[in-house]
Amino acid sequence: MVERRPLFHLFCHFILIAGILSVAFPVWIALVATTHSNAEFATGSPIWFGSQGFSVFKEILSQAGTTQNSAISINRMLFNSLVMALIITIGKLTISILSAYAVVFFRFPCRTLAFWTIFFTLMLPVEVRIMPTFEVVTNLNMLNAYSGLTIPLIASATATFLFRQFFLTITPELIEAAKIDGAGPIRFFFTILLPLSRTNIAALFVITFIYGWNQYLWPMLITTDTNYYTIVMGIKQMVAVSDGVIEWNKIMATTLIAMLPPVLIVILMQKAFVKGFIDTEK
């Protein structure tokens, strides 16, 4: 019997609503700011829509430059961010699932040591190893290139660990049945493991896509050519104005546009994302 506690339920709903409002309020302010001119925005923080409407979105998406202080279009920066996020995501998933497959299903010397070596790299995020990584990228002439933006960020110990934990739940009976049916390592991987891993792949796809899309420090270090600027870098460049007027309405509009792809990915893959973390029995 479920105990009825209306006050507790009311308190839980209050906390949830307060959390939603705290997250949604900055987005609301950014949306309202896009409808005001810079002069109106400078007088205070408007809380309702202005007279300009949403024409600023059409303006920044159609013109060659994002603002008077930027020489690269938002469309180009969005394309760069999309390419970077997709390459990082696909690369992470491919390398991680193959690494986990090798560690779990193949017998070779120092197999456990290899896994723990991969796992210990969790203690070394990109910020810690950024200088030696930058040196390697420079020596390989990958500055101002998509390869330099993506390859150093592809390896993922977290995804390898999650795939390994899932592969360990595969029953020996299923493996033996595949061997009896004549399935070799490649066929077993593509016909059995990949279909069983689709929810895990979907969940990690969402996480790694957002990770790649929101990258700022690494692209800023290795990119000097504006043709390779990402949307996150572009927003920073729009704010960093030494001499001129900061066009806050265009900055807010660009920020909202930059939020859309990750939000759409989460919405479209929400069911698979949740199932990938809670459905551990399959």
Side-chain angles (χ1 to χ4, degrees):
M1 181 177 179
V2 179
E3 184 179 358
R4 296 181 179 274
R5 294 183 290 178
L7 292 179
F8 177 74
H9 292 163
L10 181 63
F11 175 76
C12 291
H13 282 82
F14 172 78
I15 296 297
L16 289 174
I17 293 172
I20 293 173
L21 291 177
S22 64
V23 174
F25 184 71
V27 179
W28 170 260
I29 293 298
L31 182 63
V32 170
T34 61
T35 64
H36 291 267
S37 64
N38 290 320
E40 293 174 343
F41 188 83
T43 58
S45 298
I47 61 174
W48 196 247
F49 298 105
S51 58
Q52 292 189 347
F54 297 109
S55 60
V56 66
F57 288 96
K58 181 179 179 181
E59 181 180 355
I60 63 176
L61 289 173
S62 61
Q63 66 182 4
T66 54
T67 67
Q68 60 186 1
N69 303 296
S70 178
I72 182 172
S73 68
I74 283 184
N75 296 327
R76 178 68 182 184
M77 291 189 293
L78 287 172
F79 176 77
N80 292 338
S81 293
L82 181 63
V83 170
M84 181 177 177
L86 287 178
I87 293 178
I88 290 175
T89 300
I90 296 173
K92 277 181 178 290
L93 293 178
T94 302
I95 293 176
S96 299
I97 197 169
L98 291 176
S99 301
Y101 178 56
V103 169
V104 173
F105 294 101
F106 288 87
R107 299 293 182 266
F108 54 89
C110 302
R111 179 169 62 101
T112 304
L113 178 62
F115 166 73
W116 285 111
T117 302
I118 297 173
F119 185 76
F120 284 149
T121 60
L122 285 172
M123 304 178 185
L124 298 173
V126 66
E127 291 80 9
V128 175
R129 50 185 171 85
I130 199 163
M131 292 310 298
T133 306
F134 178 80
E135 182 70 18
V136 172
V137 170
T138 303
N139 293 333
L140 294 176
N141 296 319
M142 293 195 300
L143 297 178
N144 293 318
Y146 290 123
S147 57
L149 283 171
T150 57
I151 291 177
L153 303 178
I154 283 179
S156 174
T158 303
T160 303
F161 173 75
L162 293 176
F163 278 123
R164 173 185 178 271
Q165 295 306 110
F166 171 72
F167 290 162
L168 290 175
T169 64
I170 303 297
T171 59
E173 291 79 7
L174 181 61
I175 301 174
E176 292 297 327
K179 290 181 179 179
I180 293 174
D181 289 340
I186 297 178
R187 183 181 175 186
F188 176 74
F189 177 77
F190 283 102
T191 62
I192 297 178
L193 283 187
L194 277 185
L196 291 176
S197 306
R198 61 181 181 271
T199 55
N200 302 75
I201 293 174
L204 289 170
F205 182 92
V206 174
I207 295 174
T208 53
F209 182 88
I210 296 175
Y211 166 82
W213 183 271
N214 291 333
Q215 282 297 312
Y216 170 69
L217 179 60
W218 179 249
M220 183 182 65
L221 284 177
I222 71 161
T223 303
T224 57
D225 187 352
T226 56
N227 289 320
Y228 292 97
Y229 277 12
T230 62
I231 190 66
V232 179
M233 293 177 62
I235 295 173
K236 179 62 174 64
Q237 294 297 323
M238 293 164 66
V239 176
V241 177
S242 58
D243 185 15
V245 178
I246 300 178
E247 299 177 290
W248 286 110
N249 53 354
K250 293 184 179 181
I251 294 173
M252 295 299 180
T254 306
T255 303
L256 292 175
I257 293 173
M259 292 173 56
L260 287 179
V263 170
L264 290 176
I265 289 293
V266 171
I267 292 175
L268 293 176
M269 304 185 69
Q270 181 180 8
K271 291 183 179 180
F273 175 76
V274 175
K275 189 176 181 181
F277 284 104
I278 65 175
D279 194 7
T280 58
E281 297 299 324
K282 297 182 180 181

